[in-house]
Amino acid sequence: MQGFGHAVDGWEVLVANAFAGFFSQMITGAPTTVAPTTTGATAAPTTTGAPTTGAPTTAAPTTTAAPTKVTQTFTIAALNYAALGADQKTQIIAQVKASILASLTGYTTDDIEVFLSAGSVVATAEITPQSSQTITSLESSLTSAKSTVETTVATNLQSIAGIETALASGYSQTDIAATSSIAATGSNFAATTTAAQPSTSEGCLSAGTGSILVALLASVAARLL
């Protein structure tokens, strides 16, 4: 047999056909059987193996920790956070703690942490329940006293000496008011575990690239034949 100006042996034809079958398999994912080629004697058919699929990989489950605190977040109107001095911030924190403690029994300032931030002024109070009280019961107690605590916070802040220097433009001391929201830290008051769905990854050539390679190799095989 002649091809490209030289004699072609049977093994060259088999190699070309084998490559064509191999790349075709990588695209279709199905095993490919190359038809036998005869050059004087009958060559045995060559069958490529079944495609290899990567083992499924399962991501580790993610766990949401159980809440350990109850947060009461106060939004304080009529104040300009940027105008607050260090002493005024200290007094606001103290007044927020005192107002919350007035609604609870057996708690101390050590059980409450207060953080200030802008907007007008936001005071975030985190209350850690005592061993005799659950997260749910503490949240219930704070919710029952919510309106009273908001009024107390506003009244106490209005009485801070020099607070008028931190008023937002167009407001007076009597405009200082507080609203709040209450929530346990965490979700659904219990640890929840969500397992990720297993995913299977499998390496392969893109259909476009594989098709071009198969076409080229098929062309070579035809010219050899």
Side-chain angles (χ1 to χ4, degrees), residues 85-105:
D87 183 61
Q88 290 169 327
K89 290 180 180 179
T90 299
Q91 290 187 63
I92 290 174
I93 290 173
Q95 292 299 339
V96 169
K97 285 187 177 184
S99 301
I100 293 173
L101 287 174
S103 68
L104 299 174
T105 302

Side-chain angles (χ1 to χ4, degrees), residues 21-99:
F22 172 74
F23 284 107
S24 176
Q25 174 196 340
M26 293 187 73
I27 296 172
T28 62
T32 303
T33 301
V34 179
T37 303
T38 303
T39 56
T42 302
T46 302
T47 303
T48 60
T52 301
T53 302
T57 56
T58 302
T62 56
T63 301
T64 302
T68 58
K69 299 180 180 182
V70 177
T71 299
Q72 184 164 7
T73 304
F74 296 87
T75 300
I76 302 166
L79 290 180
N80 180 1
Y81 180 80
L84 290 173
D87 183 61
Q88 290 169 327
K89 290 180 180 179
T90 299
Q91 290 187 63
I92 290 174
I93 290 173
Q95 292 299 339
V96 169
K97 285 187 177 184
S99 301

Side-chain angles (χ1 to χ4, degrees), residues 16-17 19-21 211-225:
N17 284 334
F19 269 107
S211 297
I212 293 172
L213 290 173
V214 170
L216 289 174
L217 288 170
S219 176
V220 171
R223 294 181 65 180
L224 287 172
L225 293 171

